[in-house]
Amino acid sequence: MDIAASAGAGTDAHADTTATGKPHFEVLDGLRGTAAVMVVLFHLMGMPIAWADDGQWLHHAAMAVDFFFGLSGFVIAYAYDGRWPAMSVLQFVRIRLIRLHPLVLLGAVLGLISFLVDPFAANQKLVPLSVVLVDFLLALLLLPHPVLPNRWTDTHSLNSPAWSLLQEYIGNLAYALVLRRLGTRALGAVTAAAALWLGWLLWHRNSIDMGSDWLSWWGAPARMAFSFTMGLWLYRVRERLPQLRLGWGVLSLVLVLVFAAPLVPKAIPHGNGLFEGAVAMLLFPAILVCGAHSAIGGIERTLCTLAGRISYPIYILHYPFLLVYMNYALNAKPSAASLLLVGAGVFVLVVAVSWLALRLYDEPVRARLRRFAGARTAPGT
């Protein structure tokens, strides 16, 4: 998901700047990369065991999406709040489509290839090609499509992470049309209302992991509405909050520990929902504020910049590869050692393909589209 809009704390410690002269928040870039890797590992562990609790070490890593939504709101406000006097809604939409959609298209293509050539799932070839191609066309438009074999009940069967990009588009459009016009108090009130909505769902479902499938699709807008508006509001009030500086390493460790925390036992009613609600509504905002005020340098800055650049490609492109890995695990019945070795290879492949896609496809295509459209935006915005 895109949370790659340029962001910075406004200090001299940030040497890297956007085309508009604003410094990046390198720590937030790094945290975006940390969360993206956690999502891939979460899927790598969960898919071969059909999402069973036993064997999953990152029980709460689905919350990375909520962190992404919050970070997206924060950096969108940073990058665009001051540009509206000279920018129309159409220009904003064009900028965001150029930033996001090239990799959406590539993810759909990889999803189609993964479905058609997967050697470990013969039943996929029983689906009429016309049906698959209609789903592919819908995937190119980022629209939900009917469930396909070996794709669980995902709303975006060819590339499941696209569900969150659809919510990102909705959030961006809501920002351009309405949210940017609200005062800080009104925006805070919207965030509070969204928190009540999300809290009600958490109370009844006992999990924030909803929205990616047809059984819980209505949870997607609730997750986006709270975290995205929270990020917008948090940017407005950031200077009034304590300016604790912890750095990328410490904050990444906090994220990993939260994602790796065990599920709250079912014997504690609503316990898991309350835990994940507290993380989304209290801890994630604190991490965003700490990351925004943290200044780093040297090797850590280089690593954060690299993590920020590759985070979106990793997130949106990894799933088609993991679906083949899943079918291998479920149908070929490999030994534990073989599964671990293949899983490690798949992870390396995902990172390599993501980097190549970034350098050889995404960045060049976006550069050409910006020149064609005359959009004034930098590679990371």
Side-chain angles (χ1 to χ4, degrees):
M1 140 185 349
D2 174 56
I3 29 146
S6 58
T11 68
D12 294 334
H14 301 273
D16 189 19
T17 60
T18 70
T20 57
K22 289 187 174 182
H24 283 278
F25 282 140
E26 290 97 346
V27 172
L28 296 185
D29 283 345
L31 291 175
R32 187 170 64 248
T34 300
V37 169
M38 291 298 102
V39 169
V40 177
L41 294 178
F42 171 67
H43 289 155
L44 267 173
M45 284 184 276
M47 294 169 75
I49 57 176
W51 305 111
D53 293 339
D54 293 338
Q56 175 60 264
W57 296 352
L58 297 169
H59 294 286
H60 303 283
M63 295 195 69
V65 172
D66 304 275
F67 183 72
F68 290 156
F69 284 148
L71 183 50
S72 180
F74 189 93
V75 298
I76 286 292
Y78 172 82
Y80 297 105
D81 269 5
R83 296 173 63 178
W84 287 103
M87 180 176 62
S88 68
V89 171
L90 182 59
Q91 288 172 322
F92 173 80
V93 170
R94 182 176 60 196
I95 290 170
R96 300 308 292 153
L97 284 173
I98 290 174
R99 175 62 184 94
L100 292 170
H101 217 71
L103 284 177
V104 169
L105 299 179
L106 181 57
V109 170
L110 291 176
L112 176 65
I113 295 172
S114 172
F115 187 83
L116 293 178
V117 306
D118 188 342
F120 304 106
N123 63 330
Q124 293 181 182
K125 299 175 177 61
L126 301 177
V127 180
L129 182 60
S130 60
V131 172
V132 180
L133 291 179
V134 169
D135 286 356
F136 175 63
L137 291 176
L138 292 171
L140 293 176
L141 298 173
L142 204 56
L143 295 175
H145 38 274
V147 176
L148 293 169
N150 305 311
R151 296 303 188 266
W152 311 103
T153 57
D154 293 343
T155 60
H156 292 70
S157 286
L158 289 177
N159 189 25
S160 184
W163 76 269
S164 62
L165 266 295
L166 176 59
Q167 297 304 312
E168 177 80 9
Y169 279 27
I170 294 171
N172 278 219
L173 192 59
Y175 165 75
L177 296 176
V178 178
L179 297 175
R180 68 179 175 88
R181 305 176 187 274
L182 300 180
T184 301
R185 289 186 179 180
L187 186 58
V190 172
T191 303
L196 291 175
W197 181 16
L198 180 61
W200 181 81
L201 291 176
L202 288 170
W203 182 261
H204 287 279
R205 289 188 55 88
N206 202 34
S207 173
I208 205 171
D209 187 6
M210 48 187 167
S212 64
D213 58 73
W214 286 108
L215 301 178
S216 65
W217 63 268
W218 32 264
R223 294 174 70 181
M224 182 276 296
F226 167 72
S227 292
F228 185 77
T229 56
M230 177 272 294
L232 294 173
W233 176 81
L234 204 61
Y235 174 74
R236 299 260 189 102
V237 302
R238 69 196 183 285
E239 298 300 337
R240 308 176 203 173
L241 302 174
Q243 299 186 13
L244 183 62
R245 297 172 173 84
L246 296 180
W248 176 51
V250 173
L251 293 175
S252 290
L253 179 60
V254 172
L255 280 178
V256 172
L257 290 176
V258 168
F259 294 156
L263 295 172
V264 177
K266 294 180 180 179
I268 302 176
H270 313 290
N272 198 69
L274 291 173
F275 171 77
E276 293 184 339
V279 170
M281 298 179 189
L282 299 176
L283 182 61
F284 284 172
I287 291 175
L288 288 177
V289 172
C290 289
H293 288 299
S294 296
I296 56 174
I299 295 177
E300 190 175 11
R301 172 183 288 168
T302 300
L303 291 174
C304 285
T305 300
L306 176 61
R309 287 180 66 192
I310 201 172
S311 59
Y312 179 41
I314 284 179
Y315 177 78
I316 197 62
L317 300 181
H318 76 278
Y319 215 77
F321 298 96
L322 267 61
L323 285 168
V324 177
Y325 170 69
M326 175 193 73
N327 287 323
Y328 163 73
L330 296 178
N331 297 321
K333 307 295 182 184
S335 65
S338 296
L339 187 62
L340 180 62
L341 183 62
V342 173
V346 170
F347 180 82
V348 173
L349 177 63
V350 165
V351 174
V353 169
S354 299
W355 179 251
L356 290 174
L358 174 73
R359 295 300 305 274
L360 302 180
Y361 166 73
D362 184 44
E363 291 181 341
V365 167
R366 285 193 280 128
R368 292 190 184 97
L369 289 174
R370 283 195 302 272
R371 287 195 296 268
F372 178 77
R376 297 178 60 190
T377 179
T381 64

